Amino acid sequence: MKFARFRMAFRSGGVAALALWMILAVPSAWATSVTLNLKDADIGALIGTVAEVTGTNFIVDPRVKGKVTVVSSKPMESDEVYQVFLSILKVHGFAAVPSGSVVKIVPDVNAKSEGVPTVTDGSPGKGDEVVTRVVEVNNVSAAQLVPILRPLVPQQGHMAAYPGTNVLIISDRADNIERLVEIVRRMDQQSDSEIEVMPLQYASAAEVVRIISALNRPQPGQQAMPSGEPTVIADERTNSVLIGGDKADRLRLRMVISHLDTPLDRGGNTHVIYLKYSKAEELVKVLTGVSSSIAQEQKGQAVATQKSGEMSIQADESANALVINAPPDVFRSLEAVIRQLDIRRAQVHIEAVIAEIKYDKAVELGIQWRGTNDLSGSGVIGGTDFPGTGTSISTVARNPLAAGAGLSLGYFEGTTEILGTEILNLGVLVRALSSDSSTNILATPNLVTLDNQEAEIVVAQNVPFVTGSYTSTGAAEGAANPFQTIERQDVGLTLKVKPQVNEGDAIQLEIQQEISDVSTKPVLGASDIVTNKRSIKTNVMVEDKQMIVLGGLLDDNLTENVQKVPLLGDLPLLGNLFKSRSTSKTKRNLMVFMQPTILRDAAYFSSTSMEKYNYMRGLQTRQRDSGVNLLQDKEAPVLPEYPISTTTSPAADLTQPIPETP
């Protein structure tokens, strides 16, 4: 094998000489070692030379331009020439990116977005190759290493951490990545972190942890504590503090905790606890009984009797706080009880649907007659009178305007005076009436109340009812002073609900439901207003957001009334002249449904309220847009726009379409 040694010396404008020299020299296929000695050579000529020496095909970005200088005193093999070529590109801000059978030469800033090869620990690449490498981290957090190693990566490089698998992703030159991996391996070591348990005798574990957390919290303007700081957790059940971290940190925390866990220097054991959700006066009754039981369990009956006299629990209603004077061990137990009782109670949103459909139909048909043989006022008078099925002929004879509803046809001849009253001598009266009415009532009352708190909603009219009357005689002769006693009652819709949220999603409801209205039909024997009343009183158990039917009423009443003259009313056809008939039919369907929803957090509560508010505002806006008679559109009242909050759900956004009326 022949070895050809090339020495190329370039000056300014020596590119043509280089090309001519290469043509006259030994062919590149024979050259296995080359000596590069370039000065101010065009980078394009260098790329062509390297392509000849290494047999590599290059695609050159138009932005790759410049002059290069290489000083070499010994020959290099073709692979060494390629590594020197990569270093030259790096110095001038360019990179070689393999792409199939060719190599693309592009600026460094574009290299990481090209198809850079991904290497492994077994084949990490070499020299100034641009590669991507995934580095596994076993003992420390990869995210913590990024700010430490990022200054070691050039600006055109890339470094990121993926917390899911705790790995680092680095895109840079192979040599620099290998250096970074070596640094990661030295930092990725197991620590001597352990967990210690420190039981406390005098202090409260939760209070000690709160103090230590406040000490470790960065002050305004300071950087956050590194994540390698020790961890401190309170175990309230055993009144112990759990410490996790390095040995030096744990030793420092033990000294602080030991100093805090000392008896109080003050004369008494008085503590003030401010409540967040519960009422202080209600908790006093519970804590008074619990304190005696706790003392008995901890110290025995004799000592408990002595300490129970020393303990006192008072409530401050203005500040909603508890003032407790008790020994430290008893106070810690009471504090744990208070913490479990003073919690945010769930709220319940109750939606009720009351649907009532009523149908009334009545038909009346009758013939009444009356006559006399002498219109002068004397003689025989006779006829039929059926007041039970409608307006009687005697009423019409006295006052024709009292014929009532329906069709009334009559015939009369003159007048007749009976007992000093002049009435029409009505010969015949034909009455025909058909009535058909229907009622569709839909009420949807809504209530929101706390758990175990009764709520009531009343939508009614306050109707006066006469309960008695009397007349008193005055001092003047003949003077009278009438009196009436009146009692007002609500007539309408009344809903009382007391929910109890059980463990899980079950809700126990104590319900009183009443619907009443004033009857428009006269009732025989009634001396005053008549009201219709439908009520339900029950206890039910229902799941969260589940619909339940509370009760219902389905009735169908048919009433037929026939009045006729004996014998004559039974005759075929002709009998209709001596009878009056009326038929009425009433059907009523009433159902009451209820759906409770547990509102466990403020976001859900706000979302539900905004949804209802948006619905009412949408109805008002729609009514205003459709126009109001005799008013300008701007005079129609519309609720103001609800303030948008980031805690609300998208379903409550006011930009959503207005819901249809149910």
Side-chain angles (χ1 to χ4, degrees), residues 204-210 232-237 239-242:
S204 170
E207 185 67 14
V208 169
V209 171
R210 185 189 65 82
V232 183
I233 301 176
D235 181 16
E236 299 179 6
R237 187 180 65 85
N239 197 40
S240 303
V241 177
L242 282 71

Side-chain angles (χ1 to χ4, degrees), residues 125-401:
K126 60 181 180 178
D128 291 320
E129 295 183 52
V130 180
V131 296
T132 299
R133 187 168 175 180
V134 179
V135 181
E136 296 183 1
V137 183
N138 299 318
N139 300 300
V140 298
S141 173
Q144 298 177 14
L145 297 177
V146 172
I148 300 175
L149 301 177
R150 191 66 184 84
L152 303 179
V153 179
Q155 184 177 1
Q156 65 272 13
H158 175 75
M159 173 179 286
Y162 178 61
T165 55
N166 200 39
V167 297
L168 288 172
I169 302 173
I170 309 174
S171 181
D172 195 12
R173 309 285 177 173
D175 284 346
N176 192 40
I177 293 179
E178 189 65 26
R179 179 173 68 97
L180 294 175
V181 171
E182 181 64 25
I183 296 175
V184 171
R185 295 291 180 260
R186 294 185 179 184
M187 299 175 63
D188 188 22
Q189 303 293 331
Q190 292 184 353
S191 64
D192 58 349
S193 298
E194 295 181 359
I195 297 177
E196 294 186 12
V197 179
M198 284 194 64
L200 304 182
Q201 184 177 1
Y202 303 101
S204 170
E207 185 67 14
V208 169
V209 171
R210 185 189 65 82
I211 296 174
I212 295 177
S213 300
L215 291 175
N216 293 333
R217 189 181 302 117
Q219 300 298 324
Q222 295 182 353
Q223 295 182 350
M225 293 290 183
S227 56
E229 285 293 312
T231 303
V232 183
I233 301 176
D235 181 16
E236 299 179 6
R237 187 180 65 85
T238 60
N239 197 40
S240 303
V241 177
L242 282 71
I243 309 172
D246 293 336
K247 185 175 182 180
D249 294 331
R250 287 187 276 113
L251 179 60
R252 176 176 60 86
L253 290 177
R254 283 203 307 269
M255 295 176 60
V256 175
I257 296 174
S258 299
H259 176 73
L260 294 176
D261 188 28
T262 56
L264 298 175
D265 295 334
R266 59 191 179 187
N269 296 322
T270 304
H271 307 269
V272 178
I273 299 179
Y274 294 93
L275 303 180
K276 298 179 180 179
Y277 307 104
S278 302
K279 291 184 178 180
E281 58 270 19
E282 294 179 357
L283 283 184
V284 169
K285 301 177 182 179
V286 179
L287 297 177
T288 301
V290 172
S291 60
S292 300
S293 301
I294 294 175
Q296 292 177 8
E297 294 178 359
Q298 292 182 354
K299 302 297 182 180
Q301 184 66 34
V303 180
T305 304
Q306 180 181 359
K307 285 195 173 184
S308 61
E310 301 174 358
M311 293 185 297
S312 66
I313 304 174
Q314 303 294 331
D316 182 9
E317 298 183 10
S318 60
N320 194 34
L322 293 172
V323 181
I324 303 176
N325 187 355
D329 51 352
V330 178
F331 173 74
R332 284 196 300 269
S333 300
L334 291 178
E335 188 179 22
V337 174
I338 294 172
R339 191 178 300 109
Q340 297 180 45
L341 294 178
D342 186 27
I343 60 175
R344 182 190 180 99
R345 287 193 292 173
Q347 299 185 87
V348 181
H349 177 218
I350 301 169
E351 296 178 284
V353 178
I354 304 167
E356 180 177 2
I357 299 177
K358 190 176 181 181
Y359 168 79
D360 290 337
K361 187 173 183 181
V363 179
E364 176 188 343
L365 178 61
I367 300 176
Q368 305 174 55
W369 58 270
R370 188 179 63 196
T372 179
N373 64 342
D374 190 354
L375 297 178
S376 62
S378 62
V380 179
I381 184 172
T384 62
D385 194 348
F386 304 123
T389 57
T391 305
S392 67
I393 191 172
S394 300
T395 302
V396 177
R398 287 191 297 269
N399 182 12
L401 298 179

